[in-house]
Amino acid sequence: MQCRVFNITTGQEEHTTDLLVLARAYHAAWRSMFIAEPAGWHRISTLGIVFDFGQRDPAPSIEADTDSGSPAPNSGPGERHGQ
């Protein structure tokens, strides 16, 4: 797993054990839910962090929600599944 964790406020990379453990758990949960590797930036505003999983696929089927890092499956232009 390749992941970097950044502080939203300072933009500095974080290297704490608890955030790296959280990143691994997030990665595992993403893979189990979507059967795909997480890619790109996943922002978790409530914790003030961003996970950077590297380059996104050219045409991803699932994008990270810009506010919470929650998955937002693409149903069509401007639509989200279940809304």
Side-chain angles (χ1 to χ4, degrees), residues 12-53:
Q12 297 289 324
E13 188 169 358
E14 300 284 340
H15 296 282
T16 63
T17 302
D18 55 342
L19 288 178
L20 295 175
V21 169
L22 180 61
R24 290 184 68 80
Y26 184 95
H27 179 268
W30 186 276
R31 286 194 63 198
S32 70
M33 289 178 65
F34 302 109
I35 311 169
E37 293 291 322
W41 286 49
H42 294 245
R43 180 182 177 124
I44 303 177
S45 299
T46 55
L47 297 178
I49 59 172
V50 172
F51 295 134
D52 179 7
F53 289 102

